[in-house]
Amino acid sequence: MKARLGITLFTALALAASMTACANPDDSGANTKSKDVGKTIEVTKDKKIAAMVPEKYQKRGSFTASINPDVAPVKFTDSNGKIVGLVPDLLNSAATVMGIKLNLQKGQFDAMVPGLESKRFDVVASIGDFKERQKKIDFIDYLQTGTAILTSSDFKADKIKPNKDLCGLKVGYVRGTAQQGLISKASKACVAAGKKKVQSNGYGDSGAALLSVKSSQADAFWGDSPAMLYNAKKSPDLYKIVFQQKIGPYGIGINKDNSKFRDALRAALLKLVETGKYKQLIDKWGQEGFAMPKMPLNTGPKLES
């Protein structure tokens, strides 16, 4: 939900070219179980919505989505190397409604926005919707989320205040995420109070950041709530959550000059809401209470600086 993404960061992101896989070793599908939600609701092509799909996608028969599969249970790689989770299920179902197929392309988070801008793929699946990012991208918001700080289970405190209690500590984050800016803000508060600054360490994916806590190379990892809560719940002997805050929605990102495709995809997602498939997927992946069934556009807040 995964840094302060103003114009400066977008410029920096444009230099990122790597699109390598970033599966989280601690998010192995071997230990991830989706809920049994009863009889599966079948998804079929909707002729009216399929007619909304721009001709180039109809001819191609597919669209491509870049995804960083390291935020279980929203998006992660299972023990067989397959990308699974809420958003892959959601986009695959939407593609069926649209009468085309979905191609998922693994990528590092900080390369997703520039890759979308350069049209290497059609969709970013998915990132935090913030006003700074809306300057470049339109977002279909499908899930409310937030930010959380994870530490080792033997960390000195069970609850902390970031602007006060992170001073002098080593805190990891995934490069290009909202947490980069939040850590910077906390560090400035520490310095203003006459304390040591926060020692921030950026990583390419949440697997590496999580490993830094596990190996005691970092005191904490500040990341998106779904992944933080999932790992703390899965391994309470290793990790715990010491801070949590709701900050904004996850959105499926699409270039602003691709509005016809955006509208077709949103119509397909709303069809999934209508048929009950969206709720079934929300329940399957344990995201009850975080649903955004109206699929609004660009509702994210401004990033804290």
Side-chain angles (χ1 to χ4, degrees), residues 150-219:
L150 174 147
T151 66
S152 62
S153 58
D154 59 358
F155 186 72
K156 60 185 179 181
D158 291 327
K159 299 292 181 183
I160 67 168
K161 295 180 179 180
N163 291 0
K164 177 182 178 182
D165 299 320
L166 292 181
C167 305
L169 299 184
K170 297 178 181 178
V171 182
Y173 65 91
V174 176
R175 289 188 295 271
T177 61
Q179 288 76 26
Q180 184 174 342
L182 294 172
I183 292 173
S184 177
K185 179 182 178 181
S187 187
K188 290 176 181 177
C190 289
V191 173
K195 299 180 180 180
K196 293 182 179 180
K197 68 178 183 179
V198 179
Q199 301 178 55
S200 60
N201 298 317
Y203 297 92
D205 60 75
S206 64
L210 192 68
L211 183 60
S212 71
V213 174
K214 187 176 181 180
S215 62
S216 300
Q217 294 179 358
D219 299 296

XYZ file of all heavy atoms in Angstrom, residues 150-219:
500
model
N 5.693 -3.763 11.900
C 5.940 -5.112 12.411
C 7.326 -5.164 13.033
O 8.286 -4.615 12.481
C 5.815 -6.110 11.264
C 6.162 -7.580 11.504
C 5.264 -8.468 10.642
C 7.632 -7.865 11.165
N 7.422 -5.815 14.179
C 8.713 -6.006 14.850
C 8.868 -7.480 15.216
O 7.945 -8.282 15.023
C 8.807 -5.173 16.145
O 7.855 -5.678 17.092
C 8.539 -3.701 15.877
N 10.003 -7.834 15.774
C 10.171 -9.182 16.306
C 9.263 -9.339 17.518
O 8.884 -8.355 18.161
C 11.629 -9.421 16.706
O 12.012 -8.524 17.734
N 8.902 -10.561 17.826
C 7.966 -10.814 18.925
C 8.525 -10.392 20.279
O 7.760 -10.130 21.215
C 7.589 -12.296 18.962
O 8.754 -13.101 19.099
N 9.856 -10.301 20.395
C 10.453 -9.908 21.671
C 10.828 -8.426 21.718
O 11.595 -7.999 22.587
C 11.680 -10.772 21.976
C 12.766 -10.667 20.903
O 12.553 -9.953 19.892
O 13.824 -11.314 21.064
N 10.283 -7.633 20.798
C 10.529 -6.190 20.812
C 10.086 -5.612 22.152
O 9.113 -6.088 22.759
C 9.771 -5.526 19.664
C 10.048 -4.064 19.493
C 11.260 -3.618 18.999
C 9.080 -3.118 19.831
C 11.513 -2.260 18.838
C 9.319 -1.765 19.674
C 10.539 -1.333 19.174
N 10.753 -4.567 22.608
C 10.574 -4.038 23.961
C 9.172 -3.522 24.267
O 8.779 -3.445 25.431
C 11.583 -2.917 24.210
C 11.454 -1.747 23.231
C 12.552 -0.716 23.443
C 12.433 0.428 22.438
N 13.520 1.429 22.610
N 8.405 -3.153 23.238
C 7.064 -2.602 23.473
C 6.035 -3.304 22.599
O 6.360 -3.841 21.542
C 7.060 -1.105 23.183
N 4.784 -3.313 23.062
C 3.697 -3.902 22.280
C 2.981 -2.858 21.433
O 2.355 -3.195 20.425
C 2.681 -4.582 23.207
C 3.257 -5.828 23.866
O 4.088 -6.505 23.226
O 2.890 -6.110 25.023
N 3.048 -1.600 21.850
C 2.450 -0.501 21.101
C 3.435 0.667 21.072
O 4.098 0.945 22.079
C 1.132 -0.040 21.749
C 0.053 -1.109 21.805
C -0.451 -1.465 20.411
C -1.546 -2.528 20.491
N -2.015 -2.941 19.144
N 3.520 1.333 19.927
C 4.434 2.467 19.831
C 3.766 3.639 19.119
O 2.746 3.476 18.442
C 5.725 2.107 19.069
C 5.413 1.823 17.586
C 6.445 0.940 19.713
C 6.651 1.752 16.718
N 4.372 4.811 19.276
C 4.009 5.995 18.515
C 5.191 6.291 17.598
O 6.288 6.604 18.087
C 3.737 7.173 19.452
C 2.524 6.966 20.354
C 2.298 8.174 21.254
C 1.073 7.969 22.139
N 0.839 9.139 23.039
N 5.009 6.162 16.282
C 6.139 6.275 15.343
C 6.983 7.527 15.508
O 8.217 7.455 15.456
C 5.449 6.244 13.974
C 4.204 5.473 14.203
C 3.749 5.868 15.577
N 6.346 8.682 15.704
C 7.098 9.939 15.780
C 7.870 10.094 17.086
O 8.619 11.051 17.264
C 6.154 11.127 15.613
C 5.606 11.226 14.210
O 5.924 10.403 13.346
N 4.782 12.222 13.962
N 7.694 9.141 17.979
C 8.349 9.215 19.285
C 9.235 8.006 19.563
O 10.341 8.141 20.092
C 7.284 9.337 20.378
C 7.823 9.358 21.794
C 6.681 9.440 22.803
C 7.197 9.404 24.233
N 6.083 9.432 25.216
N 8.759 6.830 19.193
C 9.410 5.597 19.638
C 10.321 4.931 18.611
O 10.971 3.930 18.917
C 8.342 4.590 20.083
C 7.509 5.106 21.243
O 8.090 5.742 22.141
O 6.283 4.890 21.243
N 10.371 5.456 17.387
C 11.266 4.877 16.381
C 12.631 5.560 16.344
O 13.518 5.136 15.598
C 10.627 4.971 14.988
C 9.397 4.101 14.734
C 8.910 4.291 13.299
C 9.694 2.621 14.994
N 12.803 6.589 17.130
C 14.052 7.359 17.122
C 15.256 6.458 17.387
O 15.280 5.697 18.362
C 13.999 8.460 18.176
S 12.567 9.562 18.013
N 16.242 6.525 16.489
C 17.462 5.746 16.642
C 17.359 4.306 16.191
O 18.365 3.594 16.151
N 16.160 3.853 15.825
C 15.980 2.462 15.415
C 16.176 2.293 13.909
O 16.055 3.236 13.140
C 14.577 1.974 15.804
C 14.234 1.979 17.295
C 12.849 1.374 17.509
C 15.282 1.220 18.103
N 16.463 1.053 13.509
C 16.581 0.708 12.094
C 15.222 0.211 11.607
O 14.712 -0.788 12.118
C 17.638 -0.376 11.897
C 19.048 0.044 12.293
C 20.031 -1.110 12.118
C 21.436 -0.702 12.527
N 22.402 -1.836 12.401
N 14.654 0.918 10.634
C 13.309 0.596 10.156
C 13.344 0.338 8.653
O 13.790 1.177 7.874
C 12.318 1.735 10.470
C 10.913 1.352 10.004
C 12.317 2.041 11.963
N 12.854 -0.824 8.245
C 12.824 -1.181 6.840
C 11.524 -0.782 6.172
O 10.487 -0.637 6.826
N 11.573 -0.605 4.855
C 10.395 -0.291 4.053
C 10.652 -0.763 2.627
O 11.798 -1.040 2.247
C 10.108 1.215 4.064
C 11.197 2.043 3.408
C 11.143 2.360 2.049
C 12.299 2.486 4.139
C 12.156 3.096 1.438
C 13.313 3.217 3.540
C 13.234 3.522 2.191
O 14.243 4.236 1.583
N 9.594 -0.873 1.841
C 9.741 -1.211 0.428
C 9.860 0.084 -0.360
O 9.017 0.976 -0.231
C 8.546 -2.044 -0.079
C 8.679 -2.309 -1.577
C 8.471 -3.370 0.678
N 10.903 0.188 -1.175
C 11.158 1.423 -1.918
C 9.962 1.813 -2.791
O 9.382 0.985 -3.478
C 12.402 1.268 -2.797
C 13.700 1.215 -2.008
C 14.901 1.271 -2.944
N 14.971 0.093 -3.795
C 15.611 -1.030 -3.470
N 16.226 -1.124 -2.306
N 15.642 -2.050 -4.308
N 9.620 3.097 -2.756
C 8.533 3.616 -3.576
C 7.174 3.582 -2.913
O 6.192 4.010 -3.498
N 7.092 3.086 -1.681
C 5.805 2.979 -1.000
C 5.543 4.183 -0.100
O 6.430 4.987 0.188
C 5.745 1.702 -0.139
O 6.777 1.767 0.860
C 5.954 0.458 -0.990
N 4.310 4.284 0.366
C 3.915 5.389 1.240
C 4.726 5.406 2.526
O 4.977 6.462 3.113
C 2.427 5.278 1.568
N 5.166 4.229 2.961
C 5.887 4.147 4.226
C 7.224 4.887 4.194
O 7.712 5.328 5.236
C 6.108 2.676 4.599
C 4.850 1.959 5.050
C 3.921 1.591 3.917
O 4.364 1.412 2.779
N 2.637 1.465 4.196
N 7.808 5.037 3.031
C 9.070 5.774 2.920
C 8.887 7.209 3.413
O 9.703 7.733 4.169
C 9.560 5.767 1.476
C 10.919 6.420 1.279
C 11.432 6.273 -0.147
O 10.963 5.425 -0.895
N 12.384 7.092 -0.527
N 7.789 7.838 2.999
C 7.501 9.192 3.446
C 7.129 9.256 4.915
O 7.479 10.212 5.619
N 6.424 8.231 5.402
C 6.032 8.199 6.809
C 7.252 8.057 7.719
O 7.318 8.662 8.793
C 5.052 7.044 7.047
C 3.695 7.174 6.348
C 2.889 5.888 6.497
C 2.917 8.360 6.907
N 8.217 7.256 7.286
C 9.450 7.103 8.062
C 10.226 8.416 8.083
O 10.775 8.826 9.113
C 10.317 5.967 7.486
C 9.632 4.619 7.714
C 11.707 5.962 8.129
C 10.319 3.452 7.036
N 10.266 9.102 6.936
C 10.945 10.395 6.868
C 10.305 11.396 7.827
O 10.999 12.147 8.525
C 10.889 10.933 5.436
O 11.472 12.216 5.353
N 8.978 11.380 7.881
C 8.261 12.281 8.787
C 8.589 11.966 10.244
O 8.835 12.868 11.058
C 6.758 12.151 8.556
C 5.912 13.031 9.458
C 4.431 12.808 9.215
C 3.583 13.659 10.158
N 2.128 13.421 9.952
N 8.611 10.673 10.582
C 8.932 10.266 11.949
C 10.353 10.660 12.317
O 10.622 11.114 13.437
C 8.742 8.756 12.099
N 11.271 10.510 11.362
C 12.665 10.853 11.620
C 12.833 12.347 11.887
O 13.576 12.761 12.789
C 13.530 10.430 10.427
O 14.899 10.593 10.714
N 12.127 13.180 11.113
C 12.187 14.627 11.318
C 11.653 15.007 12.693
O 12.184 15.907 13.359
C 11.387 15.339 10.229
C 12.032 15.273 8.851
C 11.141 15.917 7.794
C 11.766 15.820 6.408
N 10.867 16.389 5.355
N 10.603 14.303 13.135
C 10.038 14.570 14.461
C 11.036 14.205 15.553
O 11.149 14.903 16.570
C 8.740 13.783 14.635
N 11.769 13.117 15.345
C 12.780 12.702 16.316
C 13.880 13.752 16.438
O 14.277 14.144 17.547
C 13.384 11.363 15.895
S 12.278 9.941 16.068
N 14.372 14.209 15.295
C 15.446 15.208 15.282
C 14.975 16.511 15.930
O 15.701 17.146 16.702
C 15.930 15.460 13.840
C 16.919 16.625 13.802
C 16.578 14.200 13.274
N 13.730 16.903 15.630
C 13.178 18.133 16.202
C 13.068 18.043 17.723
O 13.130 19.057 18.426
C 11.808 18.414 15.594
N 12.915 16.814 18.225
C 12.804 16.608 19.671
C 14.164 16.384 20.322
O 14.242 16.074 21.519
C 11.892 15.414 19.947
N 15.232 16.528 19.526
C 16.575 16.362 20.068
C 17.011 14.918 20.197
O 17.970 14.611 20.912
N 16.327 14.015 19.484
C 16.666 12.593 19.549
C 17.343 12.152 18.251
O 17.414 12.904 17.282
C 15.394 11.767 19.781
C 14.675 12.094 21.081
C 13.423 11.241 21.236
C 12.685 11.561 22.521
N 11.459 10.721 22.675
N 17.828 10.920 18.238
C 18.481 10.386 17.048
C 17.459 10.163 15.934
O 16.313 9.808 16.191
C 19.182 9.065 17.372
C 20.370 9.200 18.318
C 21.030 7.845 18.541
C 22.236 7.966 19.461
N 22.882 6.640 19.691
N 17.895 10.356 14.697
C 17.004 10.138 13.563
C 16.719 8.651 13.376
O 17.466 7.785 13.859
C 17.615 10.705 12.286
C 18.847 9.964 11.795
C 19.356 10.572 10.484
C 20.561 9.788 9.952
N 21.048 10.356 8.658
N 15.643 8.351 12.674
C 15.319 6.968 12.332
C 16.273 6.519 11.229
O 16.494 7.230 10.246
C 13.866 6.844 11.829
C 13.553 5.393 11.460
C 12.895 7.355 12.879
N 16.839 5.337 11.376
C 17.727 4.776 10.358
C 16.879 3.950 9.387
O 16.483 2.835 9.702
C 18.791 3.898 11.009
C 19.668 4.639 12.015
C 20.678 3.716 12.672
O 21.448 3.038 11.991
N 20.673 3.677 13.999
N 16.578 4.519 8.242
C 15.693 3.852 7.291
C 16.473 3.012 6.291
O 17.538 3.409 5.816
C 14.848 4.886 6.542
O 15.670 5.785 5.826
N 15.939 1.835 5.991
C 16.554 0.921 5.036
C 15.524 0.523 3.987
O 14.496 -0.072 4.322
C 17.067 -0.339 5.747
C 18.141 -0.036 6.780
O 19.038 0.760 6.524
N 18.040 -0.654 7.949
N 15.772 0.863 2.720
C 14.846 0.535 1.647
C 15.155 -0.810 1.016
O 16.323 -1.160 0.808
N 14.100 -1.575 0.696
C 14.249 -2.892 0.082
C 13.402 -2.975 -1.185
O 12.443 -2.224 -1.358
C 13.827 -3.991 1.062
C 14.684 -4.045 2.309
C 14.326 -3.333 3.453
C 15.859 -4.787 2.336
C 15.120 -3.368 4.600
C 16.660 -4.832 3.482
C 16.283 -4.121 4.609
O 17.073 -4.154 5.733
N 13.751 -3.913 -2.048
C 13.032 -4.068 -3.306
C 11.678 -4.723 -3.164
O 10.802 -4.539 -4.000
N 11.471 -5.503 -2.105
C 10.183 -6.157 -1.881
C 10.020 -6.450 -0.400
O 10.975 -6.362 0.379
C 10.055 -7.440 -2.715
C 11.132 -8.459 -2.386
O 11.031 -9.107 -1.324
O 12.079 -8.602 -3.182
N 8.812 -6.809 -0.009
C 8.529 -6.998 1.414
C 9.181 -8.255 1.979
O 9.410 -8.350 3.181
C 7.015 -7.026 1.657
O 6.420 -8.123 1.018
N 9.498 -9.231 1.110
C 10.190 -10.421 1.586
C 11.544 -10.081 2.173
O 11.922 -10.568 3.244
N 12.287 -9.212 1.471
C 13.603 -8.804 1.953
C 13.487 -7.970 3.226
O 14.287 -8.113 4.160
C 14.331 -8.015 0.869
N 12.481 -7.097 3.273
C 12.287 -6.264 4.460
C 11.898 -7.113 5.669
O 12.367 -6.888 6.790
C 11.219 -5.208 4.186
N 11.051 -8.101 5.435
C 10.636 -8.996 6.515
C 11.828 -9.805 7.030
O 12.003 -9.988 8.236
C 9.540 -9.926 6.013
C 8.775 -10.730 7.061
C 7.924 -9.816 7.921
C 7.897 -11.776 6.383
N 12.654 -10.262 6.104
C 13.837 -11.030 6.481
C 14.795 -10.198 7.325
O 15.474 -10.724 8.212
C 14.541 -11.535 5.223
C 15.772 -12.431 5.431
C 15.389 -13.696 6.197
C 16.397 -12.794 4.086
N 14.835 -8.881 7.063
C 15.729 -8.014 7.837
C 15.332 -7.976 9.311
O 16.185 -7.869 10.191
C 15.738 -6.596 7.250
O 14.516 -5.918 7.500
N 14.026 -8.072 9.581
C 13.562 -8.129 10.969
C 13.853 -9.501 11.564
O 14.334 -9.625 12.694
C 12.048 -7.821 11.058
C 11.539 -8.020 12.486
C 11.775 -6.398 10.596
N 13.581 -10.522 10.785
C 13.800 -11.900 11.242
C 15.259 -12.154 11.586
O 15.575 -12.881 12.539
C 13.336 -12.868 10.153
C 13.344 -14.330 10.547
C 12.773 -15.180 9.423
C 12.733 -16.653 9.797
N 12.160 -17.477 8.691
N 16.170 -11.535 10.812
C 17.605 -11.738 11.024
C 18.225 -10.683 11.934
O 19.446 -10.635 12.090
C 18.325 -11.723 9.677
O 18.173 -10.462 9.040
N 17.384 -9.807 12.502
C 17.819 -8.743 13.424
C 18.671 -7.671 12.757
O 19.361 -6.911 13.437
C 18.589 -9.342 14.615
O 17.775 -10.245 15.333
N 18.614 -7.582 11.426
C 19.306 -6.499 10.730
C 18.512 -5.199 10.819
O 19.053 -4.121 10.601
C 19.534 -6.884 9.270
C 20.492 -8.043 9.085
C 20.681 -8.418 7.624
O 20.054 -7.830 6.736
N 21.536 -9.387 7.364
N 17.221 -5.320 11.107
C 16.363 -4.152 11.303
C 15.515 -4.378 12.544
O 15.207 -5.519 12.911
C 15.470 -3.924 10.088
N 15.147 -3.274 13.190
C 14.304 -3.372 14.383
C 12.831 -3.501 14.026
O 12.045 -4.052 14.807
C 14.495 -2.119 15.251
C 15.927 -1.962 15.728
O 16.393 -2.831 16.482
O 16.577 -0.975 15.318
